[in-house]
Amino acid sequence: MPPQRTEVLSESPSASESPERPHDLRGRVVVVTGASGGVGRAVVRELGAKGAKVALLARGTTGLGAAAVDVGAAGGVGQVYEADVADYEQVRQAAERVEAELGPIDVWINVAFSSVFARFTDITPEEYERTTAVTYLGYVWGTRVALDLMRPRGRGTIVQVGSALSQRGIPLQSAYCGAKHAVKGFTEAVRTELLAGRSGIDITLVQLPAVNTPQFDWVLSKLGRHPQPVPPIYQPEVAARGIVYAAEHPERKEYWVGITTAATLLAQRVAPALLDRYLARTGVDSQQTTEQPPSGVANLWKPADEADDYGARGSFDHRSHARSPQLWLSHHRRPVVLSLAAAGAAGLAMAVLRRRG
């Protein structure tokens, strides 16, 4: 396996072909948890455009059905498998159905989560336990089931969708931050075991920035005002392109999507105490709108999209970024570096010739 590096990805109008040799997803069986809405919904659309056979796992039947239509419209095959990722047996049984109906699973992408927007002391033990079961154990069960199926074949890819909050906790999101920290530690442990066993299975982690998804409309909130992502905000299609790129290029340990993710994680390494004080001053107000009250919807215990389809995007379109050349530069870093090196060498040669002249 090549040396593993961290790659910084950001938003872009479209994902371009990498100079590296990608894992072709056309005709491949890809499982996506949390596929009915938000980032998961954007991911399955991107996979459909790649021609993949996508198994959509989530709880909300209306959202799942609409997501399957999206996959087909994009050019792939979408099949619905209703399951609660917090329940290992439901995940295992869904995976067995996927293999029976679509074929051997090539890629497993863990996206599903739920949470509570509230101060830690306002979250009940039951709410905390449920958040952890979905957002952390859901990844553990998905990974376990995927490995059980992939190991006899000696190949496969697992993509864990993480967050910049996996290394930097913020107020009002203790349950989510704790779960995402756990996902990172769990993934690193599993990766080292796969490396020790010289496995042909890849596992990679994609760290996301603040994204405009329905989570801010359907996650349980105990705040006085409507929750919002901490600006700057990115569209879920940006995250989806980074996640699908990681599925095509899973040899790296970790990907960072968005310049804010990179800035947050680097700042945490350099000045964590300074970030503590900054977030203590700004973190509560920056996660709430000025006047709008909470939606009153909560998907912690039951799906919010059982009757309504929320789609991929949330209610912050007007403030969200969808384009940047940085993702293109990231995907083409080798030719860009070579071009810069060649330009530098040519400039140096010209300077030497001028001095001699």
mmCIF file of all heavy atoms in Angstrom, residues 183-216:
data_model
loop_
_atom_site.group_PDB
_atom_site.id
_atom_site.type_symbol
_atom_site.label_atom_id
_atom_site.label_comp_id
_atom_site.label_asym_id
_atom_site.label_seq_id
_atom_site.Cartn_x
_atom_site.Cartn_y
_atom_site.Cartn_z
ATOM 1 N N VAL A 183 -15.257 8.013 16.155
ATOM 2 C CA VAL A 183 -15.144 7.451 14.804
ATOM 3 C C VAL A 183 -13.700 7.537 14.312
ATOM 4 O O VAL A 183 -13.167 6.579 13.729
ATOM 5 C CB VAL A 183 -16.090 8.182 13.834
ATOM 6 C CG1 VAL A 183 -15.748 7.853 12.383
ATOM 7 C CG2 VAL A 183 -17.539 7.808 14.120
ATOM 8 N N LYS A 184 -13.058 8.662 14.550
ATOM 9 C CA LYS A 184 -11.673 8.821 14.097
ATOM 10 C C LYS A 184 -10.744 7.819 14.781
ATOM 11 O O LYS A 184 -9.949 7.132 14.132
ATOM 12 C CB LYS A 184 -11.183 10.246 14.360
ATOM 13 C CG LYS A 184 -9.720 10.474 13.958
ATOM 14 C CD LYS A 184 -9.326 11.922 14.123
ATOM 15 C CE LYS A 184 -7.823 12.101 13.944
ATOM 16 N NZ LYS A 184 -7.357 11.670 12.600
ATOM 17 N N GLY A 185 -10.849 7.699 16.103
ATOM 18 C CA GLY A 185 -9.998 6.755 16.823
ATOM 19 C C GLY A 185 -10.268 5.319 16.425
ATOM 20 O O GLY A 185 -9.330 4.526 16.231
ATOM 21 N N PHE A 186 -11.538 4.973 16.272
ATOM 22 C CA PHE A 186 -11.920 3.627 15.842
ATOM 23 C C PHE A 186 -11.356 3.322 14.460
ATOM 24 O O PHE A 186 -10.795 2.239 14.221
ATOM 25 C CB PHE A 186 -13.448 3.528 15.831
ATOM 26 C CG PHE A 186 -13.996 2.393 15.023
ATOM 27 C CD1 PHE A 186 -13.910 1.088 15.469
ATOM 28 C CD2 PHE A 186 -14.610 2.630 13.793
ATOM 29 C CE1 PHE A 186 -14.420 0.037 14.721
ATOM 30 C CE2 PHE A 186 -15.120 1.597 13.035
ATOM 31 C CZ PHE A 186 -15.023 0.294 13.495
ATOM 32 N N THR A 187 -11.491 4.265 13.540
ATOM 33 C CA THR A 187 -11.024 4.050 12.165
ATOM 34 C C THR A 187 -9.508 3.868 12.118
ATOM 35 O O THR A 187 -8.995 3.007 11.388
ATOM 36 C CB THR A 187 -11.449 5.226 11.272
ATOM 37 O OG1 THR A 187 -12.879 5.323 11.281
ATOM 38 C CG2 THR A 187 -10.978 5.039 9.846
ATOM 39 N N GLU A 188 -8.783 4.656 12.890
ATOM 40 C CA GLU A 188 -7.331 4.512 12.924
ATOM 41 C C GLU A 188 -6.926 3.136 13.457
ATOM 42 O O GLU A 188 -5.987 2.506 12.940
ATOM 43 C CB GLU A 188 -6.723 5.621 13.785
ATOM 44 C CG GLU A 188 -6.813 6.991 13.137
ATOM 45 C CD GLU A 188 -6.341 8.105 14.054
ATOM 46 O OE1 GLU A 188 -6.243 7.869 15.291
ATOM 47 O OE2 GLU A 188 -6.092 9.208 13.549
ATOM 48 N N ALA A 189 -7.642 2.657 14.468
ATOM 49 C CA ALA A 189 -7.332 1.339 15.025
ATOM 50 C C ALA A 189 -7.579 0.235 13.995
ATOM 51 O O ALA A 189 -6.754 -0.674 13.821
ATOM 52 C CB ALA A 189 -8.168 1.090 16.279
ATOM 53 N N VAL A 190 -8.726 0.306 13.307
ATOM 54 C CA VAL A 190 -9.040 -0.708 12.299
ATOM 55 C C VAL A 190 -8.041 -0.648 11.147
ATOM 56 O O VAL A 190 -7.607 -1.692 10.637
ATOM 57 C CB VAL A 190 -10.481 -0.518 11.782
ATOM 58 C CG1 VAL A 190 -10.760 -1.456 10.614
ATOM 59 C CG2 VAL A 190 -11.480 -0.768 12.908
ATOM 60 N N ARG A 191 -7.660 0.550 10.748
ATOM 61 C CA ARG A 191 -6.709 0.679 9.636
ATOM 62 C C ARG A 191 -5.382 -0.001 9.971
ATOM 63 O O ARG A 191 -4.803 -0.705 9.131
ATOM 64 C CB ARG A 191 -6.460 2.151 9.303
ATOM 65 C CG ARG A 191 -5.492 2.339 8.126
ATOM 66 C CD ARG A 191 -5.183 3.794 7.856
ATOM 67 N NE ARG A 191 -6.385 4.526 7.494
ATOM 68 C CZ ARG A 191 -6.977 5.421 8.276
ATOM 69 N NH1 ARG A 191 -6.458 5.675 9.474
ATOM 70 N NH2 ARG A 191 -8.062 6.038 7.888
ATOM 71 N N THR A 192 -4.902 0.201 11.200
ATOM 72 C CA THR A 192 -3.626 -0.415 11.564
ATOM 73 C C THR A 192 -3.740 -1.936 11.582
ATOM 74 O O THR A 192 -2.780 -2.638 11.229
ATOM 75 C CB THR A 192 -3.147 0.094 12.934
ATOM 76 O OG1 THR A 192 -4.148 -0.154 13.926
ATOM 77 C CG2 THR A 192 -2.859 1.581 12.879
ATOM 78 N N GLU A 193 -4.896 -2.450 11.976
ATOM 79 C CA GLU A 193 -5.092 -3.903 11.945
ATOM 80 C C GLU A 193 -5.089 -4.424 10.513
ATOM 81 O O GLU A 193 -4.507 -5.483 10.227
ATOM 82 C CB GLU A 193 -6.408 -4.258 12.636
ATOM 83 C CG GLU A 193 -6.383 -4.019 14.143
ATOM 84 C CD GLU A 193 -7.717 -4.310 14.809
ATOM 85 O OE1 GLU A 193 -8.635 -4.794 14.108
ATOM 86 O OE2 GLU A 193 -7.847 -4.062 16.024
ATOM 87 N N LEU A 194 -5.715 -3.693 9.599
ATOM 88 C CA LEU A 194 -5.724 -4.107 8.194
ATOM 89 C C LEU A 194 -4.312 -4.055 7.617
ATOM 90 O O LEU A 194 -3.904 -4.950 6.863
ATOM 91 C CB LEU A 194 -6.664 -3.214 7.390
ATOM 92 C CG LEU A 194 -8.162 -3.345 7.712
ATOM 93 C CD1 LEU A 194 -8.960 -2.286 6.970
ATOM 94 C CD2 LEU A 194 -8.673 -4.741 7.346
ATOM 95 N N LEU A 195 -3.565 -3.013 7.970
ATOM 96 C CA LEU A 195 -2.183 -2.915 7.497
ATOM 97 C C LEU A 195 -1.323 -4.046 8.060
ATOM 98 O O LEU A 195 -0.501 -4.637 7.352
ATOM 99 C CB LEU A 195 -1.586 -1.565 7.895
ATOM 100 C CG LEU A 195 -2.117 -0.328 7.166
ATOM 101 C CD1 LEU A 195 -1.622 0.948 7.839
ATOM 102 C CD2 LEU A 195 -1.691 -0.356 5.702
ATOM 103 N N ALA A 196 -1.537 -4.355 9.347
ATOM 104 C CA ALA A 196 -0.759 -5.430 9.972
ATOM 105 C C ALA A 196 -1.034 -6.771 9.300
ATOM 106 O O ALA A 196 -0.131 -7.613 9.185
ATOM 107 C CB ALA A 196 -1.082 -5.514 11.461
ATOM 108 N N GLY A 197 -2.269 -6.965 8.854
ATOM 109 C CA GLY A 197 -2.628 -8.209 8.192
ATOM 110 C C GLY A 197 -2.413 -8.198 6.700
ATOM 111 O O GLY A 197 -2.787 -9.149 6.012
ATOM 112 N N ARG A 198 -1.816 -7.106 6.177
ATOM 113 C CA ARG A 198 -1.567 -6.951 4.736
ATOM 114 C C ARG A 198 -2.852 -7.191 3.929
ATOM 115 O O ARG A 198 -2.865 -7.871 2.902
ATOM 116 C CB ARG A 198 -0.455 -7.898 4.264
ATOM 117 C CG ARG A 198 0.883 -7.656 4.956
ATOM 118 C CD ARG A 198 1.987 -8.523 4.395
ATOM 119 N NE ARG A 198 3.247 -8.278 5.072
ATOM 120 C CZ ARG A 198 4.102 -7.304 4.784
ATOM 121 N NH1 ARG A 198 3.800 -6.466 3.801
ATOM 122 N NH2 ARG A 198 5.222 -7.161 5.452
ATOM 123 N N SER A 199 -3.926 -6.618 4.437
ATOM 124 C CA SER A 199 -5.229 -6.794 3.807
ATOM 125 C C SER A 199 -5.330 -5.989 2.513
ATOM 126 O O SER A 199 -4.708 -4.931 2.367
ATOM 127 C CB SER A 199 -6.331 -6.355 4.776
ATOM 128 O OG SER A 199 -7.597 -6.353 4.147
ATOM 129 N N GLY A 200 -6.132 -6.476 1.600
ATOM 130 C CA GLY A 200 -6.426 -5.748 0.375
ATOM 131 C C GLY A 200 -7.596 -4.801 0.515
ATOM 132 O O GLY A 200 -8.044 -4.201 -0.467
ATOM 133 N N ILE A 201 -8.105 -4.644 1.737
ATOM 134 C CA ILE A 201 -9.239 -3.755 2.002
ATOM 135 C C ILE A 201 -8.706 -2.396 2.454
ATOM 136 O O ILE A 201 -7.845 -2.311 3.327
ATOM 137 C CB ILE A 201 -10.154 -4.347 3.080
ATOM 138 C CG1 ILE A 201 -10.707 -5.702 2.628
ATOM 139 C CG2 ILE A 201 -11.303 -3.385 3.404
ATOM 140 C CD1 ILE A 201 -11.422 -6.462 3.719
ATOM 141 N N ASP A 202 -9.223 -1.333 1.844
ATOM 142 C CA ASP A 202 -8.837 0.029 2.204
ATOM 143 C C ASP A 202 -9.907 0.652 3.091
ATOM 144 O O ASP A 202 -11.103 0.420 2.906
ATOM 145 C CB ASP A 202 -8.684 0.897 0.950
ATOM 146 C CG ASP A 202 -7.517 0.470 0.082
ATOM 147 O OD1 ASP A 202 -6.382 0.440 0.599
ATOM 148 O OD2 ASP A 202 -7.731 0.174 -1.106
ATOM 149 N N ILE A 203 -9.471 1.478 4.040
ATOM 150 C CA ILE A 203 -10.406 2.256 4.850
ATOM 151 C C ILE A 203 -9.852 3.669 4.947
ATOM 152 O O ILE A 203 -8.670 3.873 5.227
ATOM 153 C CB ILE A 203 -10.610 1.623 6.244
ATOM 154 C CG1 ILE A 203 -11.683 2.406 7.024
ATOM 155 C CG2 ILE A 203 -9.325 1.523 7.025
ATOM 156 C CD1 ILE A 203 -12.165 1.681 8.280
ATOM 157 N N THR A 204 -10.695 4.648 4.654
ATOM 158 C CA THR A 204 -10.247 6.041 4.642
ATOM 159 C C THR A 204 -11.296 6.910 5.307
ATOM 160 O O THR A 204 -12.473 6.539 5.405
ATOM 161 C CB THR A 204 -9.970 6.516 3.202
ATOM 162 O OG1 THR A 204 -9.391 7.826 3.229
ATOM 163 C CG2 THR A 204 -11.227 6.546 2.355
ATOM 164 N N LEU A 205 -10.862 8.073 5.763
ATOM 165 C CA LEU A 205 -11.716 8.986 6.518
ATOM 166 C C LEU A 205 -11.783 10.328 5.790
ATOM 167 O O LEU A 205 -10.758 10.861 5.367
ATOM 168 C CB LEU A 205 -11.140 9.175 7.920
ATOM 169 C CG LEU A 205 -11.849 10.098 8.904
ATOM 170 C CD1 LEU A 205 -13.233 9.563 9.245
ATOM 171 C CD2 LEU A 205 -11.015 10.240 10.174
ATOM 172 N N VAL A 206 -12.988 10.864 5.643
ATOM 173 C CA VAL A 206 -13.185 12.148 4.965
ATOM 174 C C VAL A 206 -13.737 13.151 5.971
ATOM 175 O O VAL A 206 -14.853 12.979 6.474
ATOM 176 C CB VAL A 206 -14.152 12.015 3.772
ATOM 177 C CG1 VAL A 206 -14.287 13.355 3.044
ATOM 178 C CG2 VAL A 206 -13.677 10.938 2.814
ATOM 179 N N GLN A 207 -12.965 14.182 6.275
ATOM 180 C CA GLN A 207 -13.356 15.180 7.253
ATOM 181 C C GLN A 207 -14.054 16.353 6.559
ATOM 182 O O GLN A 207 -13.480 16.980 5.665
ATOM 183 C CB GLN A 207 -12.131 15.698 8.021
ATOM 184 C CG GLN A 207 -11.275 14.591 8.646
ATOM 185 C CD GLN A 207 -11.911 13.986 9.881
ATOM 186 O OE1 GLN A 207 -13.123 13.783 9.939
ATOM 187 N NE2 GLN A 207 -11.093 13.665 10.869
ATOM 188 N N LEU A 208 -15.288 16.650 6.978
ATOM 189 C CA LEU A 208 -16.112 17.650 6.308
ATOM 190 C C LEU A 208 -16.163 18.968 7.069
ATOM 191 O O LEU A 208 -16.013 19.003 8.290
ATOM 192 C CB LEU A 208 -17.538 17.124 6.146
ATOM 193 C CG LEU A 208 -17.738 15.848 5.316
ATOM 194 C CD1 LEU A 208 -19.230 15.583 5.158
ATOM 195 C CD2 LEU A 208 -17.053 15.942 3.965
ATOM 196 N N PRO A 209 -16.466 20.057 6.349
ATOM 197 C CA PRO A 209 -16.706 21.359 6.978
ATOM 198 C C PRO A 209 -18.181 21.512 7.326
ATOM 199 O O PRO A 209 -18.946 20.539 7.276
ATOM 200 C CB PRO A 209 -16.302 22.329 5.863
ATOM 201 C CG PRO A 209 -16.756 21.611 4.615
ATOM 202 C CD PRO A 209 -16.509 20.136 4.886
ATOM 203 N N ALA A 210 -18.614 22.721 7.645
ATOM 204 C CA ALA A 210 -20.037 23.008 7.832
ATOM 205 C C ALA A 210 -20.741 22.891 6.486
ATOM 206 O O ALA A 210 -20.288 23.450 5.488
ATOM 207 C CB ALA A 210 -20.214 24.411 8.399
ATOM 208 N N VAL A 211 -21.853 22.138 6.464
ATOM 209 C CA VAL A 211 -22.537 21.836 5.209
ATOM 210 C C VAL A 211 -24.015 22.198 5.332
ATOM 211 O O VAL A 211 -24.641 21.967 6.374
ATOM 212 C CB VAL A 211 -22.382 20.344 4.843
ATOM 213 C CG1 VAL A 211 -23.024 20.057 3.488
ATOM 214 C CG2 VAL A 211 -20.906 19.947 4.810
ATOM 215 N N ASN A 212 -24.569 22.724 4.250
ATOM 216 C CA ASN A 212 -25.982 23.121 4.194
ATOM 217 C C ASN A 212 -26.851 21.891 3.956
ATOM 218 O O ASN A 212 -27.201 21.551 2.833
ATOM 219 C CB ASN A 212 -26.192 24.143 3.069
ATOM 220 C CG ASN A 212 -27.656 24.481 2.862
ATOM 221 O OD1 ASN A 212 -28.420 24.556 3.820
ATOM 222 N ND2 ASN A 212 -28.043 24.674 1.608
ATOM 223 N N THR A 213 -27.212 21.200 5.040
ATOM 224 C CA THR A 213 -28.041 19.997 4.933
ATOM 225 C C THR A 213 -29.278 20.146 5.817
ATOM 226 O O THR A 213 -29.346 21.044 6.670
ATOM 227 C CB THR A 213 -27.269 18.744 5.377
ATOM 228 O OG1 THR A 213 -27.092 18.799 6.802
ATOM 229 C CG2 THR A 213 -25.920 18.644 4.688
ATOM 230 N N PRO A 214 -30.264 19.250 5.665
ATOM 231 C CA PRO A 214 -31.466 19.310 6.506
ATOM 232 C C PRO A 214 -31.223 19.006 7.975
ATOM 233 O O PRO A 214 -32.167 19.093 8.775
ATOM 234 C CB PRO A 214 -32.386 18.257 5.875
ATOM 235 C CG PRO A 214 -31.887 18.070 4.489
ATOM 236 C CD PRO A 214 -30.412 18.274 4.579
ATOM 237 N N GLN A 215 -29.999 18.634 8.356
ATOM 238 C CA GLN A 215 -29.755 18.315 9.765
ATOM 239 C C GLN A 215 -30.174 19.474 10.674
ATOM 240 O O GLN A 215 -30.617 19.258 11.812
ATOM 241 C CB GLN A 215 -28.290 17.966 10.001
ATOM 242 C CG GLN A 215 -27.362 19.171 10.140
ATOM 243 C CD GLN A 215 -25.940 18.810 10.512
ATOM 244 O OE1 GLN A 215 -25.124 18.531 9.654
ATOM 245 N NE2 GLN A 215 -25.631 18.848 11.789
ATOM 246 N N PHE A 216 -30.046 20.704 10.184
ATOM 247 C CA PHE A 216 -30.382 21.856 11.016
ATOM 248 C C PHE A 216 -31.891 22.084 11.102
ATOM 249 O O PHE A 216 -32.354 22.909 11.880
ATOM 250 C CB PHE A 216 -29.655 23.094 10.487
ATOM 251 C CG PHE A 216 -28.167 22.909 10.470
ATOM 252 C CD1 PHE A 216 -27.514 22.463 9.328
ATOM 253 C CD2 PHE A 216 -27.420 23.109 11.618
ATOM 254 C CE1 PHE A 216 -26.146 22.251 9.317
ATOM 255 C CE2 PHE A 216 -26.051 22.901 11.621
ATOM 256 C CZ PHE A 216 -25.405 22.466 10.472
#
